[in-house]
Amino acid sequence: MMKRRHAASNRFFMALVFLFLYAPIFLLIVFSFNAGESSVVWKGFSLKWYGELFRDRLIMQSVYTTLLVSLLATIISTIAGTFASIGFYSMRRRVREPLMTINSIPMMNADIVTGVSLCLFFVAFFNLWGDFAGWINSIQGLITLPTRLNLGFGTLLLAHISFNIPYVILSVGPKLRQMDRNLVDAAQDLGCTWMQAFWKVILPEIKPGIVSGALIAFTMSVDDFVISYFTAGSATSTLAMQIYSMTKKRISPKINAISTLLFITVLVLLVIVNIRESHQERAALTRQTGKK
Amino acid sequence: MSKELIRLVNCSMAFDGELVLDNMNLYFNDSEFLTLLGPSGCGKTTTLRIIGGFITPTSGEVLFDGVRMNDIPPHLRQVNTVFQRYALFPHLNVFENVAFGLRIGRTEEKEVNGKKKKVKVRIPQDEIRQRVLEMLEVVSLKGFENRRITELSGGQQQRVAIARALVNRPKVLLLDEPLGALDLRLRKDMQSELKRIQQQMGITFIYVTHDQEEALAMSDTIVVMDQGKIQQIGTPEDIYNEPKNAFVADFIGESNILDGIMHEDYVVEFFNRKFKCLDKGFAPMEPVDVVIRPEDIDIVPMEKGQLRGTVTSVTFKGVHYDTIVDFKGFKWLIQTTDYHPVGETIGIILNPDDIHIMHKSQYSGMFGDYSSYSEEYEEMDDVTMLDEEEEDGPREDGHEE
């Protein structure tokens, strides 16, 4: 009897936890399909707000910016992060460990600190650049360098690349360490240059890690708000920034619709990452037991 | 007369200031099966990696056919390696693993219109296919082409690794403890298999192992190494029957090693008794190490023995008994097919060819006493001999230069 009651109270507690976690999102999703304008009163099912969403030029522009910056940042940070991991991998343990710790600090760091510091850094650089370009323009007349640079898509992209790289490194590193060290030696022994060995042996071995890293980076980029907010300037805005600016005006259920889409995108990406990871673990497990 | 292929001249290697290879001089002949044998950390794998090109010696030269190769990267050397845990490519099947080296285009210098040009040479598909299948047949893996690496047993992976290396027709095959991960039975099979492949291909095998039985069973030449130095080079029979110092005697097989004094040619004294032996060329009254192999000792009734001792422990080993016998505090290991119970006093007879005499070396007094077999450990006063430095200067007609 006692056990039963325990189980029941456990289940009740679990339900409570999930309620608190997911009720707001559930509410948001439900009311994105509301026919009326209210976020409290249900007036029937409709896809009206989704339709309006796609007609809103500002929102579509921000979706485009988000996708573009996320894709570019993912590609660049994946390449940079992969090579960085290989660098870390060939370092000696005593050097590698502290560097890996430094690598993970930006991930732990509060987004607001990262955002503000990047913003200050860019502004400081622009000031220096202004002086430099003015000086260059004054001493010669052949080329005219722009003296005023502004925060915008470029700085947004740089910021995204910089906060994505640690995630790629963290995802590729373990795959490299799982790899038999002799594989590279073996490839070179069989006639490969280092670069050939990289393409033919290292890359296929660490590909799962690279793909996972890219997916995580993409997710991080799509869903980032704070860092983008400080580095995108006034003319560029990502989807998250657009939603934020919409909340400052009269709240329209369009926000519900776009937030639902964003939530589902990130959810799908995370599910893919998790499924991949569990697949890999299982594969690694069968590989180990298979060997014995 | 066999041709010399590779020569190491005064090769030394240090990692973080720690000397791993100490002034190594060694050469490797065409079509021989040479084994680098020694305990872990003796520098044998380092030697192999220097030949393979994975590391460059701190000092000294690596010569292939008399040409200095120190700075030539592995992919330009005509040697191939079978790695410790095979290092097969898990994303490729058996066929593609073996074909890997053939698919890599090699740049060769060719004369085109009187000018030397670097030309990429690719092997045609048909030839690759034919050579891979041929090689899989050599290693008895016919029909396994499409298997995944993960579906193979350890022994089969081993064969793939050998085929992958041999298909490139190297002049020298380097094998780094290739049988270490296999179980005993499979290891014995692979030993004869490897020997057969080596003879069939007619190329040089340089084999690294810490397993003395393996080395004795397969090699034409054994190089015994310790502490980055070559201790002895010779045929398996030489190494076993005529060990050069206490280290070799102890590392290859079991040995009782005693302190003795060489009175004159063919006469040695130990345990205050003179014995006839077959060794000569020592200084008069020179202190020496005497090696007596446990299987060479004949046990006789105690009144007929040259020496008398008491059995202190007996272990059944299948074919024979490992019998520990106490002679005046020094314990010997005797391998005999007859059972002698603990406490029995026995006599032994040593024939001249049972006794092998070695010069004293840095290893004297470190090995060859079986006191640790029994509970009551009795210390021998063999410390006095330790001050003599190693003097294994003279060398046989072997490989050392």
Side-chain angles (χ1 to χ4, degrees):
Chain A
M1 274 316 272
M2 278 298 280
K3 212 172 182 183
R4 206 28 100 71
R5 209 179 302 155
H6 264 292
S9 64
N10 277 353
R11 237 172 281 156
F12 175 71
F13 184 70
M14 280 282 277
L16 217 59
V17 168
F18 276 100
L19 188 71
F20 274 112
L21 274 176
Y22 287 102
I25 294 169
F26 182 71
L27 209 66
L28 178 120
I29 294 173
V30 166
F31 277 93
S32 74
F33 296 108
N34 192 3
E37 279 223 13
S38 165
S39 323
V40 191
V41 190
W42 180 255
K43 291 226 171 125
F45 180 86
S46 142
L47 287 174
K48 173 177 152 196
W49 302 113
Y50 287 90
E52 276 202 25
L53 201 64
F54 288 103
R55 280 191 294 275
D56 188 322
R57 274 201 51 231
L58 274 178
I59 290 180
M60 290 326 285
Q61 177 64 38
S62 70
V63 168
Y64 172 72
T65 308
T66 304
L67 288 181
L68 190 66
V69 83
S70 302
L71 268 177
L72 286 175
T74 301
I75 292 167
I76 296 169
S77 61
T78 302
I79 294 169
T82 302
F83 280 103
S85 324
I86 292 173
F88 278 134
Y89 170 68
S90 38
M91 279 173 188
R92 265 186 284 145
R93 202 190 175 82
R94 219 180 308 151
V95 189
R96 189 180 63 216
E97 303 271 282
L99 282 175
M100 284 303 281
T101 313
I102 293 172
N103 174 58
S104 24
I105 289 172
M107 291 185 286
M108 298 297 159
N109 204 0
D111 276 1
I112 185 116
V113 178
T114 310
V116 169
S117 61
L118 277 169
C119 174
L120 291 176
F121 175 78
F122 287 136
V123 169
F125 173 77
F126 290 161
N127 284 336
L128 280 177
W129 172 262
D131 294 345
F132 174 73
W135 177 68
I136 291 283
N137 291 345
S138 68
I139 58 164
Q140 49 92 43
L142 287 173
I143 45 166
T144 321
L145 293 175
T147 49
R148 263 189 70 82
L149 295 177
N150 285 313
L151 292 174
F153 187 81
T155 49
L156 181 68
L157 180 60
L158 284 175
H160 276 239
I161 292 169
S162 82
F163 77 69
N164 277 340
I165 287 178
Y167 291 99
V168 178
I169 292 178
L170 210 67
S171 168
V172 175
K175 282 276 164 272
L176 276 168
R177 257 167 280 140
Q178 277 167 29
M179 186 178 81
D180 184 352
R181 246 175 203 278
N182 282 331
L183 285 187
V184 184
D185 282 349
Q188 288 182 286
D189 186 73
L190 293 168
C192 286
T193 60
W194 191 89
M195 216 49 204
Q196 281 173 314
F198 172 77
W199 286 109
K200 285 173 184 285
V201 176
I202 302 179
L203 205 60
E205 278 293 291
I206 63 173
K207 203 170 69 193
I210 295 176
V211 175
S212 295
L215 280 171
I216 295 169
F218 189 76
T219 314
M220 289 294 159
S221 269
V222 166
D223 115 321
D224 173 70
F225 167 69
V226 178
I227 297 173
S228 304
Y229 187 76
F230 281 99
T231 52
S234 50
T236 317
S237 74
T238 65
L239 186 54
M241 289 164 70
Q242 185 64 33
I243 294 171
Y244 176 69
S245 71
M246 282 160 71
T247 58
K248 284 200 238 171
K249 295 172 218 150
R250 207 173 63 83
I251 295 182
S252 145
K254 264 195 280 185
I255 291 181
N256 290 4
I258 187 68
S259 303
T260 302
L261 290 181
L262 188 58
F263 170 74
I264 287 170
T265 311
V266 172
L267 185 73
V268 166
L269 285 170
L270 283 178
V271 166
I272 293 174
V273 170
N274 280 325
I275 290 176
R276 284 178 56 84
E277 264 166 19
S278 64
H279 266 273
Q280 280 160 31
E281 264 163 40
R282 219 173 304 148
L285 214 71
T286 51
R287 207 147 133 192
Q288 276 172 0
T289 48
K291 258 178 192 166
K292 277 169 192 171
Chain B
M1 191 61 205
S2 50
K3 212 180 108 219
E4 173 192 313
L5 279 184
I6 298 176
R7 182 183 285 263
L8 301 178
V9 186
N10 299 326
C11 271
S12 292
M13 185 74 209
F15 294 117
D16 295 331
E18 205 180 313
L19 205 59
V20 191
L21 210 58
D22 189 358
N23 215 21
M24 175 106 153
N25 284 293
L26 189 62
Y27 67 83
F28 304 91
N29 282 334
D30 199 10
S31 326
E32 84 177 322
F33 198 125
L34 184 142
T35 300
L36 299 171
L37 174 66
S40 59
C42 74
K44 54 193 194 302
T45 298
T46 305
T47 309
L48 204 69
R49 290 180 67 81
I50 285 175
I51 298 169
F54 303 111
I55 48 177
T56 314
T58 325
S59 66
E61 288 197 314
V62 186
L63 306 175
F64 284 25
D65 287 331
V67 182
R68 189 184 146 99
M69 295 291 280
N70 285 36
D71 304 314
I72 307 293
H75 68 274
L76 298 177
R77 297 191 182 199
Q78 277 188 315
V79 298
N80 283 111
T81 311
V82 176
F83 291 89
Q84 227 164 38
R85 269 163 289 110
Y86 324 134
L88 298 174
F89 306 123
H91 62 288
L92 300 176
N93 65 15
V94 170
F95 184 92
E96 285 305 320
N97 259 282
V98 178
F100 191 91
L102 299 177
R103 291 206 195 282
I104 306 293
R106 279 164 212 273
T107 43
E108 279 177 21
E109 279 202 359
K110 273 193 179 171
E111 269 189 45
V112 182
N113 303 333
K115 277 182 190 170
K116 274 199 174 175
K117 271 193 177 175
K118 285 194 171 172
V119 186
K120 270 227 159 183
V121 184
R122 285 197 181 278
I123 303 170
Q125 289 297 326
D126 300 350
E127 193 191 334
I128 291 179
R129 184 156 185 84
Q130 188 201 333
R131 276 171 72 174
V132 170
L133 293 180
E134 229 167 68
M135 197 46 69
L136 284 175
E137 205 167 337
V138 171
V139 297
S140 325
L141 277 182
K142 207 178 164 189
F144 280 72
E145 299 91 80
N146 297 320
R147 293 281 193 99
R148 295 185 59 82
I149 292 305
T150 44
E151 291 166 0
L152 300 181
S153 71
Q156 289 164 339
Q157 292 191 21
Q158 176 62 67
R159 288 159 199 267
V160 176
I162 294 166
R164 183 180 69 173
L166 284 177
V167 80
N168 304 294
R169 296 178 183 155
K171 287 185 177 169
V172 178
L173 185 69
L174 310 176
L175 301 104
D176 188 4
E177 305 218 13
L179 307 184
L182 303 180
D183 57 57
L184 188 67
R185 188 64 194 275
L186 207 51
R187 202 154 39 185
K188 300 257 178 201
D189 292 346
M190 280 308 289
Q191 282 175 17
S192 45
E193 187 83 1
L194 273 174
K195 187 73 191 162
R196 175 186 66 77
I197 293 170
Q198 189 257 338
Q199 281 162 351
Q200 189 177 337
M201 307 289 294
I203 61 169
T204 306
F205 274 33
I206 303 177
Y207 191 94
V208 160
T209 183
H210 62 264
D211 183 334
Q212 42 109 357
E213 259 180 68
E214 217 167 272
L216 292 173
M218 292 191 287
S219 319
D220 298 320
T221 308
I222 295 178
V223 178
V224 185
M225 293 179 67
D226 186 49
Q227 296 174 5
K229 286 192 189 118
I230 295 174
Q231 302 298 333
Q232 188 170 358
I233 300 173
T235 63
E237 287 85 354
D238 285 348
I239 300 266
Y240 190 84
N241 295 330
E242 310 282 330
K244 222 180 218 175
N245 60 36
F247 173 82
V248 180
D250 182 74
F251 196 77
I252 315 289
E254 300 282 354
S255 306
N256 299 295
I257 304 172
L258 336 158
D259 293 321
I261 291 166
M262 206 62 188
H263 278 254
E264 55 192 270
D265 285 354
Y266 312 119
V267 179
V268 65
E269 182 203 317
F270 52 91
F271 285 157
N272 299 321
R273 225 196 122 115
K274 284 182 187 170
F275 289 87
K276 271 193 187 161
C277 62
L278 302 175
D279 300 80
K280 59 172 176 152
F282 293 82
M285 301 306 284
E286 182 182 330
V288 290
D289 284 333
V290 180
V291 180
I292 297 159
R293 294 288 186 186
E295 70 275 16
D296 291 341
I297 302 167
D298 299 323
I299 296 184
V300 293
M302 81 181 196
E303 56 280 1
K304 290 187 189 161
Q306 292 164 319
L307 291 170
R308 245 170 253 175
T310 318
V311 176
T312 61
S313 108
V314 182
T315 316
F316 180 59
K317 286 290 176 107
V319 180
H320 62 264
Y321 293 95
D322 268 0
T323 309
I324 305 290
V325 183
D326 188 332
F327 293 97
K328 301 172 182 173
F330 192 94
K331 295 200 166 67
W332 289 24
L333 171 67
I334 299 175
Q335 290 171 343
T336 163
T337 48
D338 302 324
Y339 177 72
H340 296 275
V342 174
E344 186 185 329
T345 305
I346 54 158
I348 59 162
I349 287 185
L350 296 170
N351 298 318
D353 61 353
D354 298 337
I355 298 168
H356 171 65
I357 311 294
M358 305 182 300
H359 287 283
K360 285 277 174 192
S361 71
Q362 66 184 66
Y363 296 104
S364 298
M366 288 163 65
F367 305 106
D369 179 9
Y370 286 88
S371 299
S372 51
Y373 259 66
S374 73
E375 278 105 34
E376 69 254 285
Y377 180 86
E378 285 166 28
E379 199 129 46
M380 290 289 299
D381 55 339
D382 51 340
V383 204
T384 44
M385 302 302 183
L386 272 175
D387 48 21
E388 251 167 299
E389 274 297 276
E390 59 154 353
E391 44 180 336
D392 43 315
R395 51 192 78 92
E396 266 114 80
D397 52 333
H399 288 243
E400 203 169 6
E401 284 298 295

